[in-house]
Amino acid sequence: MNGHYRRPAPHMMLPSSALRTNLWLALALAATPAVWADDFISNATGASSLAQMQAAPMTTEATVAAEPAKDGEMPFDLSADNISYDVSGNKVTAKGDGMKQVHVKSERGQVWADQIDYDLAANKVFAVGNVKFENEDKTTLLVERLELTGDMQQGALEHLRLRVPMLGEIAQAGTATVSGTEYTMTDVAYSPCKECIGDRKPWSISSDKVVYRKDHGDMTYKNAVMDVYGVPVMYLPWFRHPLGDAKPTNGLLPPRLGRSDQLGENITLSGYVFSPGENADYTIRNRLMSERGSQFMLERRQNTLTTTSEIDASYLNDTGTGDTRNHLRVEAQKDFTPTRRIGINGEIASDNTYLSEYFDRLDPYLASTVYGEDAGEQHYAALSMMRFQDLNPDVDTDQTAQVYPHLQLDRWFVPSFGGQAELMADVVNIHREDGIRSRRFTGGAEYTRPFMLDDGSKLTLGASSRMDFYMIDNGATNGTITRGLPEATAMWEKPYISPGGYHTIAPQVLAAYSPRGGNNDDKVPNEDSVSYELDTSNLFETSRFAGMDRVETGPRLIYGFDNRWGSPDHTDYRLFVGQSLRQFDDSTLPESGGHATNDSDWVGLVEVNPYNWLKFNNRFRLDNATFNPRRMDTSMQLGQRDGLYLRISHSYLDGGEEELSSEFRVPLTDQLAFRGHTRDDLANKTLLESQGGLVWTRDCYEIEAMVRRRGYSNGDLQPGTDYVVNLRLLTLGKE
């Protein structure tokens, strides 16, 4: 047509053949002068929010303003059976044929309607008849009457239903107003429940006024009433909750019901509050117990750009014992720079059994720390103070060690001739009300340098020197003690990879030498090195003691073989075996360290994880001569937590503890599952804890009924049985 378009005759009908054309082209044919329609969806900033509202499909009216599109752009595609134009050429009408609706599509969403009119003079789009809007995240809007401004930021709706992805239809309302992404609705009935008894849903919330904030994903109610199968059970003057499993914002949390031999019948009522001004949230709980009275619990969490804090406290006037019982936990940190901070991690309890009796905690002690630290690529400095509360009722608290204070300094250098050098200092003061008090000053230097050899192996040479200075009071030997600890090391390692890359063998050998001695029990106090454990995680450490008061000395040779089968990003199978050898006896080491035979126990690791539903892990320590188990930590997992699931863990220590625990979930139907866990002390043939029960999950609620048996004793806490019922209303948030 040589670039000239003939203007269609008034009301000329295009063929009824599901013709697909572009609206910008239709407007070009109709417009005099030409007016280009803006992208109806991509420029409608409220479309995403608008799509949250729904109503039953029926004859509707939608008014939406559009702005002119940029010349030459394609705003959206229009598919219709019939397209016509009025006499003035300022109105385009697209209609369906009764079987197929008019369809408008863009990158931001789609619109279906029986008829769509575009008025060029008013610059508005009208959608009439079973209007349906779907945005890019599949949120859908069906509305009986809709009026919106051109930017889709403000308007009014009548007789709507709200439907969101994953949850479906969750609310109905009489009227609503729209302001950006916020919808204010009146005469609202909220319920995600799809199954009903007659017209009564398992639970619902009716409210005079509800505000739905799409960008926050929450709903706020005023003057609301909660119904259970149509029966009002609770009045809520103000209530807010998120949609789905997000963390609650403001409002009530699901109650917990139970019965215990120790506590009697009990119910826990909870509320959650978010304070935007403080950028903090609070959880308040009140546990009412027939045998112990009322327990008040408070949690507070706050995060800012430079600070984080969390407070957890509880208070109980125990009517069973007549005592006032409480506990307090505080965690707070202030960041001055990304690497410089101060903080506190503290916890105290009123007595030894309060936490185990009311919170099922078996902590041997509570630690509180105040600290400040500064770290960088070449330095680290920390100053801290620690206080311990021993929860063992048989321990004299005056003999519990307290750390006032502890200073750590480290500085790393990269010399011009290669390698890495480190200078360190450590100062600690141990205080007791009754017992040994000591102060230790430690300084040292270390140099290491790696070498890559021609055969592809790596050799790392190192040398270090350390000096300790002790000042001791109230000990077997009072006064000052000094000791020097020089040491030289050489580490060799080389990986061997199979042709296909599936199997890798990596042998490692460490040789260490230092003069014998330095662990005089009569002179040097042992405060931080009481624990000694040899396993795969510390086999190649030159000293496996937990602290610095005890050291391993003399000539030593450590070797191990690491076998891995799998791909670079996933290990299907793994086997590691290693051992430590020494030239001389060392009476300060435990038997597992090889003080009697100069050879340590064999340590190893077995991992099996070929499928995502099968995991097996075993860490072992075997006698160096007989290969009898000295320690075994084994765990096996079958299945996934949301389906059939079983996890078994076994821990064994020769001459010590042996414990077996399990966790399981067995789906009985699509909605009913049996789950629980057990924990047994096999050495003393005692059931520590066992819990099992049924979990019934419907589309809008979950009920958990559990029986828990506690078989251990701890001070005043005796074995007992608890019965617990937890009710969770789904879509109201998850703790």
Side-chain angles (χ1 to χ4, degrees):
M1 297 179 63
N2 300 322
H4 298 283
Y5 296 93
R6 181 173 178 268
R7 184 173 182 175
H11 298 284
M12 181 180 69
M13 304 300 295
L14 297 182
S16 177
S17 59
L19 178 64
R20 177 179 179 85
T21 183
N22 295 318
L23 184 58
W24 66 270
L25 179 58
L27 298 179
L29 295 173
T32 305
V35 178
W36 299 92
D38 196 4
D39 187 333
F40 170 64
I41 297 183
S42 63
N43 289 320
T45 58
S48 178
S49 299
L50 172 63
Q52 304 290 339
M53 301 298 174
Q54 287 205 13
M58 57 185 302
T59 301
T60 63
E61 179 180 339
T63 304
V64 182
E67 296 180 1
K70 295 180 180 179
D71 191 20
E73 290 187 357
M74 185 183 298
F76 50 78
D77 293 335
L78 173 69
S79 297
D81 287 322
N82 299 286
I83 298 179
S84 62
Y85 311 88
D86 68 358
V87 176
S88 65
N90 290 328
K91 182 178 180 181
V92 180
T93 300
K95 295 182 179 181
D97 63 356
M99 298 296 294
K100 184 177 181 181
Q101 291 184 299
V102 181
H103 182 204
V104 172
K105 182 179 181 181
S106 80
E107 295 180 354
R108 295 289 301 276
Q110 305 179 72
V111 176
W112 293 265
D114 294 340
Q115 178 175 324
I116 292 180
D117 298 324
Y118 184 80
D119 190 329
L120 280 76
N123 198 20
K124 293 182 178 180
V125 173
F126 301 85
V128 180
N130 298 312
V131 181
K132 176 182 177 181
F133 176 88
E134 181 182 275
N135 68 6
E136 64 270 25
D137 67 357
K138 303 303 181 182
T139 301
T140 306
L141 168 69
L142 298 173
V143 61
E144 180 178 334
R145 181 174 297 276
L146 169 67
E147 296 180 3
L148 288 176
T149 57
D151 57 4
M152 289 190 179
Q153 291 294 297
Q154 296 181 352
L157 306 92
E158 293 182 6
H159 304 297
L160 57 93
R161 291 203 298 263
L162 176 64
R163 179 180 297 172
V164 296
M166 304 301 294
L167 299 180
E169 184 178 309
I170 60 173
Q172 300 181 14
T175 62
T177 58
V178 180
S179 179
T181 59
E182 184 173 291
Y183 296 79
T184 302
M185 300 174 282
T186 61
D187 299 326
V188 180
Y190 172 88
S191 178
C193 302
K194 299 178 177 60
E195 300 181 7
C196 305
I197 297 180
D199 59 350
R200 295 175 300 172
K201 294 189 175 184
W203 67 270
S204 63
I205 301 176
S206 302
S207 177
D208 294 339
K209 182 179 179 181
V210 174
V211 177
Y212 168 59
R213 302 185 300 176
K214 181 182 180 297
D215 52 349
H216 290 79
D218 60 29
M219 301 184 73
T220 303
Y221 302 76
K222 291 185 178 180
N223 295 325
V225 175
M226 176 175 286
D227 295 346
V228 176
Y229 287 109
V231 179
V233 296
M234 185 181 299
Y235 172 68
L236 304 169
W238 189 91
F239 179 51
R240 175 179 291 168
H241 69 83
L243 294 177
D245 282 342
K247 192 172 183 179
T249 49
N250 296 318
L252 298 178
L253 299 176
R256 297 179 181 178
L257 307 175
R259 188 191 183 283
S260 167
D261 291 345
Q262 300 288 329
L263 311 180
E265 286 75 18
N266 60 88
I267 179 173
T268 302
L269 304 176
S270 306
Y272 183 90
V273 178
F274 174 69
S275 174
E278 301 176 284
N279 198 31
D281 60 81
Y282 301 80
T283 302
I284 304 171
R285 308 180 195 273
N286 188 21
R287 180 191 291 180
L288 304 175
M289 300 166 286
S290 61
E291 301 295 330
R292 295 300 183 92
S294 176
Q295 183 184 35
F296 178 78
M297 293 166 278
L298 172 66
E299 301 172 19
R300 181 185 186 273
R301 295 159 291 269
Q302 183 181 41
N303 287 292
T304 68
L305 293 176
T306 60
T307 62
T308 60
S309 65
E310 183 172 342
I311 300 175
D312 183 6
S314 67
Y315 174 85
L316 169 67
N317 186 7
D318 196 330
T319 58
T321 63
D323 299 326
T324 298
R325 310 177 72 181
N326 52 73
H327 99 286
L328 174 66
R329 181 181 64 86
V330 178
E331 294 184 6
Q333 181 172 291
K334 168 68 175 179
D335 295 335
F336 298 100
T337 69
T339 62
R340 184 174 299 171
R341 61 187 63 89
I342 60 174
I344 178 174
N345 297 322
E347 187 170 22
I348 57 174
S350 59
D351 55 78
N352 297 332
T353 62
Y354 178 69
L355 294 178
S356 60
E357 191 169 354
Y358 291 95
F359 299 95
D360 296 321
R361 291 176 51 179
L362 298 177
D363 307 67
Y365 60 86
L366 301 179
S368 299
T369 305
V370 179
Y371 64 90
E373 60 182 0
D374 181 68
E377 293 184 356
Q378 293 185 301
H379 76 278
Y380 177 78
L383 178 64
S384 62
M385 299 178 65
M386 299 185 68
R387 179 189 181 277
F388 296 93
Q389 179 183 356
D390 202 313
L391 299 183
N392 187 338
D394 300 326
V395 171
D396 184 356
T397 57
D398 288 342
Q399 295 185 2
T400 301
Q402 312 297 345
V403 182
Y404 305 140
H406 184 196
L407 174 65
Q408 298 170 271
L409 299 173
D410 285 278
R411 183 73 165 87
W412 297 274
F413 304 90
V414 179
S416 58
F417 50 84
Q420 178 175 288
E422 177 187 358
L423 297 178
M424 60 82 64
D426 189 281
V427 180
V428 63
N429 176 59
I430 305 297
H431 175 79
R432 289 182 176 87
E433 294 295 332
D434 181 16
I436 299 176
R437 293 187 288 269
S438 64
R439 289 159 295 282
R440 184 190 68 214
F441 303 85
T442 298
E446 181 179 8
Y447 174 78
T448 58
R449 183 170 182 177
F451 298 90
M452 298 303 300
L453 305 183
D454 294 339
D455 63 350
S457 61
K458 179 182 177 182
L459 177 64
T460 303
L461 302 179
S464 64
S465 178
R466 192 180 106 190
M467 181 68 70
D468 295 336
F469 178 77
Y470 286 87
M471 299 178 63
I472 303 170
D473 298 325
N474 294 339
T477 301
N478 296 328
T480 61
I481 299 173
T482 59
R483 67 178 179 183
L485 302 167
E487 186 174 65
T489 60
M491 176 78 172
W492 177 88
E493 52 190 322
K494 180 181 180 180
Y496 295 88
I497 304 175
S498 65
Y502 184 70
H503 182 202
T504 301
I505 302 177
Q508 297 173 276
V509 180
L510 172 65
Y513 177 82
S514 62
R516 298 179 62 194
N519 293 325
N520 191 325
D521 291 337
D522 295 333
K523 295 182 179 180
V524 179
N526 185 3
E527 300 287 0
D528 62 4
S529 301
V530 177
S531 174
Y532 179 96
E533 182 57 47
L534 175 66
D535 58 28
T536 55
S537 65
N538 64 7
L539 176 64
F540 288 94
E541 298 288 337
T542 57
S543 180
R544 291 82 173 224
F545 286 102
M548 303 177 68
D549 287 334
R550 292 292 180 268
V551 293
E552 294 189 54
T553 60
R556 283 116 49 217
L557 181 68
I558 306 167
Y559 63 95
F561 298 89
D562 193 4
N563 289 264
R564 295 175 184 263
W565 293 265
S567 61
D569 57 350
H570 184 267
T571 299
D572 295 336
Y573 307 94
R574 184 185 178 191
L575 172 63
F576 177 88
V577 179
Q579 188 184 36
S580 175
L581 309 176
R582 67 181 59 256
Q583 182 178 0
F584 303 104
D585 294 344
D586 192 340
S587 60
T588 61
L589 295 178
E591 189 174 349
S592 62
H595 83 276
T597 63
N598 300 344
D599 301 341
S600 75
D601 288 341
W602 293 94
V603 296
L605 168 67
V606 177
E607 291 181 353
V608 178
N609 186 22
Y611 312 105
N612 59 3
W613 54 267
L614 173 61
K615 294 182 180 180
F616 176 85
N617 183 288
N618 174 252
R619 293 180 181 271
F620 59 84
R621 178 158 52 84
L622 307 178
D623 185 273
N624 52 34
T626 65
F627 294 97
N628 291 329
R630 303 288 293 274
R631 176 158 190 170
M632 302 285 284
D633 293 300
T634 307
S635 66
M636 181 181 67
Q637 176 182 320
L638 297 173
Q640 300 292 321
R641 288 185 177 273
D642 56 351
L644 180 63
Y645 175 80
L646 173 65
R647 186 177 189 275
I648 299 176
S649 299
H650 176 257
S651 179
Y652 167 78
L653 179 63
D654 185 26
E657 300 177 352
E658 183 177 7
E659 188 173 298
L660 177 67
S661 62
S662 66
E663 181 182 358
F664 55 87
R665 182 182 187 274
V666 181
L668 303 177
T669 67
D670 292 340
Q671 299 173 330
L672 186 64
F674 178 72
R675 70 183 181 192
H677 66 265
T678 62
R679 185 170 163 227
D680 290 271
D681 182 353
L682 301 182
N684 298 309
K685 298 181 180 179
T686 302
L687 174 66
L688 298 177
E689 185 179 15
S690 178
Q691 176 176 301
L694 296 174
V695 180
W696 191 34
T697 304
R698 307 292 286 183
D699 60 341
C700 60
Y701 64 91
E702 181 180 89
I703 298 177
E704 180 182 49
M706 291 287 175
V707 179
R708 180 173 57 200
R709 175 66 183 176
R710 182 178 56 251
Y712 61 87
S713 300
N714 183 16
D716 297 333
L717 182 62
Q718 299 300 314
T721 303
D722 300 336
Y723 303 91
V724 180
V725 177
N726 292 326
L727 170 64
R728 180 185 169 213
L729 303 181
L730 303 182
T731 77
L732 294 185
K734 186 176 182 180
E735 290 189 67

